[in-house]
Amino acid sequence: MSRFWSQVVNDLTPYVPGEQPKIANLIKLNTNENPYPPSPRALAAIQAELGDDAARLRLYPDPNADLLKNAIARTHAVTARQVFVGNSSDEVLAHVFMALLKHEQPILFPDITYSFYPVYCGLYGIAYQTVPLADDFSINPADYTGRPNGGIIFPNPNAPTGRLLPLAAIEQILVANPDSVVVVDEAYIDFGGKSAISLVDRYDNLLVTHTLSKSRSLAGLRVGFAIGHPTLIEALERVKNSFNSYPLDRLAIVGAVAAMEDSAWFEECCTKVIATRDTLSAELGELGFEVLPSAANFIFARHPQHDAAELAKSLRERSIIVRHFKLPRIDQFLRISIGTDAECQALTTALREILG
Ligand SMILES: *Cc1c(COP(=O)(O)O)cnc(C)c1O
């Protein structure tokens, strides 16, 4: 608090990102990064951008990042007019809240979900109502029908539960809310889900957001995008061009293009993560954990006999960090990002020791 702060800043409750510890040799299973490196073609493209002509960084990047929009459009079989790109999907989401979710009526999202959503509501003064997940932590589409709202947003798979909603359920929500934008945050869709991008040509109220941080191993580059009807994209462009005309730098644009084009690398990394996830889920089950079915690159699990915060602390003493949320309904769960096979082996070995 300071007399120099605006009222808005005074009232903010900022998002708290997962820890990025500066300690070496940690097994870091807390922020859902990909354990595998990005495509070598992405690294080569970034090096070429730097190396070919050292003076290139002197010039502004393409404000519209057309090369990247075209690469994304090709990958997802849409037109470039249906694509918006930004400096991370968090930034894309921030623009979505401002451009498409700020209306008279409160917006709707699940009670257990990505904790950035209420933060954007606070930043932009958007009213919201949370919709409780079912007892099995699934989203019930019927809860989003017959309920006037200023918009709807949820991740699919949901975070931090990892549970996937089938496309038929998403269609049910879209059909029931023709006058609201329905935002499906697909940060984790590449780990086993079916993307709602296949529905954007049929529903002008659908916006799907993606990130290169998880399935394309580029959390450090900060690139995200949204796909939807050109009218929705235009709204995002209007906000973006009122905020920062050049959200993606030259290195991010060329790196992201190469990563989008290297589908073989992408598929191989996703396949490995999925296989490790399924092995780890089974092993935690054998240790007595209750593991929610996950379609993401993390699992959400609780042990009926052991306090989650205590478990997280004991793992930390063994240099393994996982995420624990001190929140209603989920404070007995741990969210564990899928690491390499060796990292997940180290985790189960440590847990076996801790559980005794
Ligand atoms: C990680 C994550 C994001 C943000 O991804 P960035 O592109 O790295 O900002 C958005 N939504 C959900 C649900 C996430 O888990």
Side-chain angles (χ1 to χ4, degrees):
M1 199 12 199
S2 149
R3 71 183 193 285
F4 301 119
W5 288 12
S6 67
Q7 191 60 49
V8 178
V9 165
N10 208 24
D11 294 343
L12 288 180
T13 313
Y15 177 74
V16 183
E19 208 191 338
Q20 296 292 348
K22 313 248 175 337
I23 315 160
N25 299 322
L26 270 185
I27 297 187
K28 195 174 170 303
L29 306 177
N30 68 328
T31 51
N32 299 343
E33 287 133 331
N34 201 303
Y36 302 109
S39 159
R41 285 165 59 179
L43 303 181
I46 292 169
Q47 263 151 7
E49 181 71 16
L50 278 172
D52 280 5
D53 169 5
R56 211 179 285 176
L57 286 183
R58 183 177 60 82
L59 301 173
Y60 282 108
D62 173 6
N64 295 316
D66 282 329
L67 276 180
L68 179 56
K69 285 187 180 177
N70 290 333
I72 291 166
R74 274 195 304 278
T75 307
H76 289 287
V78 295
T79 66
R81 289 177 63 233
Q82 291 168 294
V83 180
F84 177 77
V85 294
N87 187 311
S88 81
S89 71
D90 283 340
E91 185 188 85
V92 172
L93 288 168
H95 292 341
V96 168
F97 274 76
M98 182 58 155
L100 300 167
L101 299 178
K102 188 171 162 61
H103 298 290
E104 285 297 304
Q105 300 265 20
I107 67 163
L108 305 177
F109 49 80
D111 62 338
I112 295 161
T113 196
Y114 188 34
S115 47
F116 225 133
Y117 301 158
V119 175
Y120 294 130
C121 288
L123 178 62
Y124 296 124
I126 299 169
Y128 66 90
Q129 286 172 0
T130 57
V131 182
L133 295 179
D135 288 341
D136 65 358
F137 295 99
S138 62
I139 289 174
N140 179 3
D143 294 340
Y144 295 83
T145 64
R147 206 170 155 161
N149 63 74
I152 295 171
I153 182 165
F154 53 86
N156 194 40
N158 196 8
T161 66
R163 291 208 70 143
L164 183 73
L165 196 61
L167 282 191
I170 291 176
E171 270 200 271
Q172 201 180 324
I173 296 172
L174 288 163
V175 170
N177 296 278
D179 297 321
S180 299
V181 174
V182 177
V183 183
V184 184
D185 176 352
E186 292 191 337
Y188 302 105
I189 198 68
D190 298 323
F191 300 104
K194 276 211 167 62
S195 174
I197 292 171
S198 61
L199 301 175
V200 292
D201 285 335
R202 279 195 284 140
Y203 297 96
D204 65 358
N205 60 331
L206 169 63
L207 189 82
V208 181
T209 62
H210 275 214
T211 175
L212 276 68
S213 296
K214 278 76 182 232
S215 57
R216 299 203 189 246
S217 308
L218 286 170
L221 201 64
R222 313 308 295 133
V223 182
F225 59 91
I227 294 183
H229 191 278
T231 310
L232 304 184
I233 301 306
E234 190 187 339
L236 297 173
E237 298 289 356
R238 289 173 70 107
V239 172
K240 171 246 174 192
N241 287 318
S242 308
F243 180 77
N244 177 3
S245 316
Y246 308 99
L248 289 176
D249 62 62
R250 287 177 168 273
L251 307 182
I253 292 171
V254 297
V257 167
M260 290 308 296
E261 286 175 345
D262 196 348
S263 55
W265 183 272
F266 161 73
E267 275 157 30
E268 192 189 321
C269 291
C270 290
T271 304
K272 285 195 283 193
V273 168
I274 291 168
T276 307
R277 174 189 74 209
D278 295 348
T279 306
L280 180 64
S281 301
E283 287 181 354
L284 291 187
E286 281 162 26
L287 288 175
F289 279 89
E290 199 184 300
V291 184
L292 296 191
S294 169
N297 69 338
F298 58 84
I299 56 177
F300 205 48
R302 69 177 150 199
H303 197 292
Q305 279 97 44
H306 292 267
D307 179 67
E310 288 296 319
L311 284 177
K313 191 165 154 267
S314 305
L315 285 170
R316 202 187 173 88
E317 285 159 8
R318 291 166 174 79
S319 300
I320 300 174
I321 47 176
V322 299
R323 192 99 193 249
H324 173 249
F325 298 94
K326 234 187 261 165
L327 293 172
R329 289 187 79 185
I330 57 168
D331 66 336
Q332 284 310 310
F333 279 86
L334 295 177
R335 193 196 65 188
I336 304 167
S337 307
I338 303 304
T340 60
D341 282 329
E343 288 172 326
C344 291
Q345 275 308 319
L347 172 77
T348 46
T349 303
L351 282 171
R352 218 166 270 128
E353 258 176 52
I354 295 163
L355 300 177

